[in-house]
Amino acid sequence: MSRGCYLALCARPVQFEKANPVNCVFFDEANKQVFAVRSGGATGVVVKGLEDKNPISFRMEDKGEVKCIKFSLGNKILAVQRTSKSVDFLNFIPDSPQLEYTQECKTKNANILGFCWTSSTEIVFITDQGIEFYQVLPEKRSLKLVKNQNINVNWYMYCPESSVILLSTTVLGNVLQPFYFKGGTMSKLPKFEIELPAAPKSSKLSLSERDIAMATIYGQLYVLYLRHHSRTSNSSGAEVVLYHLPRESSCKKMHILKLNRTGKFALNVVDNLVVVHHQDTETSVIFDIKLKGEFDGTVTLHQLVLPARSIQPYQIPVAGPASVTNQSPVPCKLYSSSWIVFQPDIIISASEGYLWNLEVKLEPVVNLLPDKGKLMDFLLQRKECKMVILSVCSQMLSEPDRGTLAVIATVFDKLNHEYKKYLEAEQSYTMVVETGQSRGNPPLKRPIRTQAVIDQSDMYTHVLSVFTEKKEAPHKFTTAVLMEYIRSLNQFQIAVQHYLYELVIKTLVQHNLFYMLHQFLQYHVLSDSKPLACLLLSLESIYPPAHQLSLDMLKRLSTANDEIVEVLLSKHQVLAALRFIRGVGGHDSISARKFLDAAKQAADNMLFYTIFRFFEQRNQRLRGNPNFTPGEHCEEHVTFFKQIFGEQALMKPTAF
Amino acid sequence: MAAAAGAGQEKQLAPALLSFFIYNPKLGPREGEEEKKILFYHPNEVEKNEKIRNVGLCEAIVQFTRTFSPSKPAKSLHTQKNRQFFNEPEENFWMVMVVRNPVIEKYHKDGKPVIEYQEEELLDKVYSSVLQQCYSMYKLFNGTFLKAIEDGGVRVLKDRLEKFFHRYLQTLHLQSCDLLDVFCGISFFPLDKMTYLKIQSFINRMEESLNIVKYTAFLYNDQLIWSGLEQDDMRILYKYLTTSLFPRHIEPELAGRDSPIRAEMPGNLQHYGRFLTGPLNLNDPEAKCRFPKIFVNTDGTYEELHLIVYKAMSAAVCFMIDASMQPTLDFCRKLDSIVGPQLTVLASDICEQYNINKRISGSEKEPQFKFIYFNHMNLAEKSTIHMRKTPSVSLTSVHPDLMKILGDINSDFTRVDEDEEIIVKAMSDYWVVGKKSDQRELYVILNQKNANLIEVNGKDFFIFAIC
């Protein structure tokens, strides 16, 4: 990883035969397939997709130059455009007619600009005079026109993820008309106008399709407009303007990304980040519209998140088995003029025969964004963020890049904010499921746990336990960090897990900071629980007050009466145990033998007498007879009692 | 008990300090050198031979009683007119306090005054504790006796004792000492978990920003919330803060944010922070950055620290920094600019949260009984009997006789290790209940007409949850 390059081409690109006079290469954005058409298809067509392991290859008759070739979704039907008036179809469905069939465009004198598949059997023709929406009937080898619309079209653009086609209309070309396709219907969305940088002098096409892209960012469809620097305006450079294109209402200008440079650009969208490639400097920059920008009342201005960096150097693997060629890989020319960029994240080098996905690497970002708060905001929105976030956390806790407590607190708060959001969603989902409220309403989806949900167990395993074990930081800092994490959890009303308390206690005990521990317990910073009470009990030998702290905690829990009795008995505090159990009303069901054993061990005759008498009285009250029943197994204690105090000291049954 | 029934005819004199001295028998073992043993003697005007005689007497008593109980020699000596208390805080260093018993002056029919000494009025434990506190307080500001001798011989020790006790003895108000002096406890400020964590976070950040700070303590409304010091050191520092330092500073904070008093305060408008020790006016380039020195962990690492007390509204923070570092005016300004604004916000947060909690728990209502609670484990103390500690007197809301009963019950508790409960019927419908459970002691005073023992015993006091 060199010089913090945070963009990279994927390691396993799609390789295809490079474009040359006999081999034409086409890319289908909907299926993400590359078509290599040799000699008009006569000597073979090879189709390679990103996910497909096995390329599809077939031959077709050479009926002239292929202008456009695309499979329908699911590779069911192949559509080939060879003339500007018609499109040819070929079924790839098993057991269906294999002969080609043709559809001419309906509008007279219109030229087909291109076509797009919107499903496995639906296709849209875009002509210079409008669009035509067809249903393909493969069995009948014919097409049925579903709907058409007349409109002057300069160029079009298709976003398969959102099934939206954008048409450039009017003379200047800057009025964009979107259409939305779903379930066999075509709907017209409100048209909108792209503001051109300066009023054009002549009435000629002023908005090029090269400067427009469509992509889904954070689940919303945006039209991205690359507005070039104009000498007349005061802007310091080119910018990308984002128009939000909602399905229900009209399009709205929302964000402006300041590029601060001029020249040739290309756009990609990767992991919800807008990537702007700059050919002149052979570098790219990224923008995150979720990060805080400058809001001027209508649009938000965004500056670069990170300094511009080139895409990571890429080595072209040499073809053939390594043993045969044994050549060192050739470095690939990046930002080459033969590169073609497709949305959202595709870069194609037709001259070299490669198709890559662009990837964002998060590790290099860590060192490029010194502001840890901003870094977290950035990372939390990324798909593969978990391990990077955890490593940032570890890093900020240890030298040489130790963060201040204020920074650490900010980071914890950001993580827990995300964590809490997930917990809440999960909780309301469970509630709806349990109460069965979802009936009638659209079924609620189970919340997805993204990598940005960093829970206590993640933090404990990867960050905090490692950090406390290393012991390189002063204990004051260690404690402060743990308390800061607990504070943050509390602030978001997240129940703290026992193991975190254990970590705090361990750290304090290691440094003999018992008084500190004591104060934390006093203010219930470490929440009550049986395991915690037991842990405290185990500390009694090194810190005697832990005994009282533990008992108090058990008492507050009010579900640990048995434990309290056990603790007291083990300390020979037999009377205290008896008083306690009587206080909570459990003295009728306790085992007499247990108490008598403890009293005997205490080697205090008066105590034994008192306890013995208590149980005699209980027997009298419960059964009308002071004697112990055989089931109580107190024979040896009765013998012992008689031995010390004499037979006559036994309580007499009251006669009626 | 004889209250001031037949006024005019009777005069009651409270217990008073007769003398107070410190000696070390090893310093003048030979005959004729007895004076050398005496390190401090109050009142100083006493004739030399009498001083020597009194010291000799104490020495003799201690030696004599040692033959009966080698590990625990006499703690006090009761006589008709006074009571003497002995304390050996460091090996061979003895502190003696002589207190005159309270006196009732009656006038005979023939007009002759008759003086009646109240021999049984004073409680040993209370005054022994006062004597121990004298040492603890001295040690807090001066270090141990031995350290002084190591530093510069007997001369230095004598100077330090003179300097310290000359002033300190005047602040001993022996007439108003009671059970609370025995406990010498710490009142903790009740607080919810979240606010407490915020304070923790604040303290940790301040210690980080002002990296020379070694320990921090945080108080609100004169009650402790956090102590970085060990318990015993905090106990005496707490006493100093609450009975001496805080009361000495009139509190314009109490007047509220918009009070006109505010305007006269030096400093800036962004926050209400100010130094209680150290520089008064940070804008004065000549301001002195002198802070009191304190000594902590004297049986261990023996640390000497500067005590910086900084307050904003009702929140006070004590920053303790190593004495080898001399805090400069720049440091004080930095502290003021970092701590001041944050502490101001925190103080109002605490205040707000406290009021919310008070409303929820409804603790504004007067409880039907008065109590004193003490937990030996964390030194937590709570009293609804004492109104407010002031430097001069601690005002109690109950009759002194009842206070004495509390003291007596406490002495009983000290004798045995077991849990105990004592119920006393006092005069005029008062019942006093003392309860000891593990490390905790609770004393309750009830005033209920015609209550009987069973009713009193049946009362459940749900106060053990305090802390």
Side-chain angles (χ1 to χ4, degrees), chain A residues 640-650:
Chain A
F640 182 69
F641 185 84
K642 282 195 265 185
Q643 212 179 317
I644 295 172
F645 304 106
E647 179 102 38
Q648 72 289 351
L650 285 173

Side-chain angles (χ1 to χ4, degrees), chain A residues 20 36 67 188 233 248 269 348 356 367 380 398 447 481 570:
Chain A
N20 58 43
K67 289 185 164 180
K188 193 173 171 183
S233 76
E248 266 68 48
V269 171
I348 290 176
W356 295 280
N367 297 323
L380 282 169
S398 49
V481 167
S570 72

Side-chain angles (χ1 to χ4, degrees), chain A residues 31-310:
Chain A
N31 289 321
K32 315 282 183 234
Q33 287 167 328
V34 188
F35 288 75
V37 183
R38 285 180 69 92
S39 331
T43 48
V45 178
V46 179
V47 186
K48 279 186 174 176
L50 276 167
E51 274 96 49
D52 314 338
K53 287 201 179 80
N54 303 314
I56 305 168
S57 50
F58 55 90
R59 282 167 203 277
M60 57 184 192
E61 224 177 303
D62 184 2
K63 291 183 182 168
E65 191 200 345
V66 173
K67 289 185 164 180
C68 185
I69 180 165
K70 285 170 186 174
F71 268 122
S72 73
L73 302 187
N75 303 332
K76 298 273 191 310
I77 304 159
L78 180 74
V80 187
Q81 186 195 350
R82 294 183 175 105
T83 69
S84 61
K85 299 289 176 197
S86 66
V87 177
D88 304 324
F89 294 87
L90 190 59
N91 291 342
F92 271 70
I93 309 163
D95 310 323
S96 66
Q98 299 290 309
L99 275 173
E100 265 189 30
Y101 47 105
T102 303
Q103 177 67 47
E104 273 186 32
C105 69
K106 285 274 186 264
T107 320
K108 290 260 163 15
N109 304 324
N111 290 314
I112 299 177
L113 300 174
F115 61 87
C116 317
W117 287 99
T118 58
S119 79
S120 57
T121 53
E122 285 158 340
I123 194 164
V124 183
F125 290 2
I126 299 98
T127 69
D128 53 3
Q129 291 176 32
I131 65 172
E132 300 167 3
F133 182 41
Y134 293 96
Q135 168 125 45
V136 186
L137 308 164
E139 284 76 25
K140 295 184 179 164
R141 297 180 49 244
S142 66
L143 280 80
K144 191 182 112 196
L145 181 71
V146 181
K147 203 170 180 185
N148 69 332
Q149 173 102 32
N150 289 331
I151 183 168
N152 281 323
V153 179
N154 304 309
W155 48 262
Y156 77 99
M157 186 163 284
Y158 180 45
C159 177
E161 285 81 17
S162 49
S163 299
V164 170
I165 290 175
L166 207 57
L167 305 180
S168 157
T169 67
T170 70
V171 180
L172 293 173
N174 66 333
V175 175
L176 301 180
Q177 172 63 62
F179 287 92
Y180 171 56
F181 299 87
K182 200 192 172 189
T185 61
M186 172 177 102
S187 37
K188 193 173 171 183
L189 302 180
K191 63 181 176 194
F192 61 97
E193 192 179 327
I194 297 280
E195 291 166 43
L196 297 170
K201 285 177 197 95
S202 57
S203 301
K204 64 166 201 213
L205 190 64
S206 304
L207 182 66
S208 152
E209 63 177 307
R210 279 204 310 272
D211 296 334
I212 294 289
M214 265 197 291
T216 308
I217 305 170
Y218 294 116
Q220 299 295 316
L221 180 64
Y222 286 91
V223 173
L224 291 78
Y225 166 46
L226 186 63
R227 181 155 65 185
H228 292 281
H229 172 70
S230 82
R231 280 180 207 93
T232 50
S233 76
N234 302 326
S235 65
S236 56
E239 49 195 30
V240 177
V241 186
L242 268 65
Y243 292 82
H244 180 213
L245 188 54
R247 214 155 285 155
E248 266 68 48
S249 56
S250 55
C251 188
K252 198 173 162 246
K253 186 163 135 188
M254 298 277 279
H255 302 276
I256 293 178
L257 317 179
K258 304 293 280 182
L259 300 178
N260 296 326
R261 43 173 77 180
T262 56
K264 273 180 87 179
F265 298 98
L267 297 174
N268 271 138
V269 171
V270 185
D271 203 359
N272 293 314
L273 293 168
V274 179
V275 181
V276 185
H277 306 289
H278 188 227
Q279 204 179 22
D280 308 18
T281 57
E282 298 197 351
T283 56
S284 308
V285 291
I286 54 175
F287 292 88
D288 184 348
I289 57 167
K290 275 243 175 124
L291 288 188
K292 223 177 144 196
E294 219 180 292
F295 186 63
D296 73 354
T298 46
V299 294
T300 312
L301 281 171
H302 295 269
Q303 302 295 339
L304 298 185
V305 178
L306 301 168
R309 284 287 185 273
S310 158

Side-chain angles (χ1 to χ4, degrees), chain A residues 403-406 409 476-477 480 483-484 486-487 490-491 501 515-516 518-520 522-525 527 545 547-549 552 573 576 579, chain B residues 186 188-189 191 193-194 196-198 200-201 204-205 207-208 213-215 224-227 229-231 375 377-378 419 438-440 467:
Chain A
T404 64
L405 286 171
K476 227 179 196 178
F477 181 73
M483 291 317 287
E484 205 56 68
I486 290 175
R487 178 209 49 81
N490 270 290
Q491 194 156 311
Y501 293 145
Y515 190 44
M516 246 183 220
H518 200 132
Q519 295 183 65
F520 289 153
Q522 196 171 308
Y523 281 97
H524 307 299
V525 165
S527 307
H547 176 72
Q548 196 193 80
L549 289 168
D552 289 351
Q573 293 181 319
R579 268 195 210 114
Chain B
I186 295 170
F188 286 93
F189 187 76
L191 205 59
K193 193 204 297 192
M194 196 54 230
Y196 183 78
L197 283 166
K198 270 194 210 162
Q200 271 298 316
S201 180
N204 289 334
R205 286 184 208 187
E207 288 191 357
E208 184 182 57
V213 172
K214 212 164 173 185
Y215 304 107
L224 187 68
I225 292 179
W226 169 255
S227 162
L229 283 183
E230 285 304 310
Q231 189 169 301
N375 186 349
M377 186 185 63
N378 58 358
D419 291 358
D438 199 5
Q439 303 276 307
R440 297 181 167 99
C467 38

Side-chain angles (χ1 to χ4, degrees), chain A residues 366-372 375 391-405 407-408 411 467 470 472-473 477 481, chain B residues 208:
Chain A
V366 173
N367 297 323
L368 292 175
L369 250 184
D371 179 343
K372 291 274 186 291
L375 176 64
S391 85
V392 170
C393 289
S394 288
Q395 194 190 326
M396 74 180 177
L397 296 184
S398 49
E399 296 295 354
D401 295 318
R402 210 168 89 183
T404 64
L405 286 171
V407 166
I408 292 166
V411 170
F467 159 65
K470 265 198 284 182
E472 59 170 24
F477 181 73
V481 167
Chain B
E208 184 182 57

Side-chain angles (χ1 to χ4, degrees), chain B residues 26-40:
Chain B
K26 298 279 183 245
L27 294 175
R30 266 171 297 199
E31 216 163 312
E33 289 183 343
E34 287 89 350
E35 202 192 350
K36 289 188 179 171
K37 295 178 190 173
I38 306 171
L39 294 164
F40 174 79

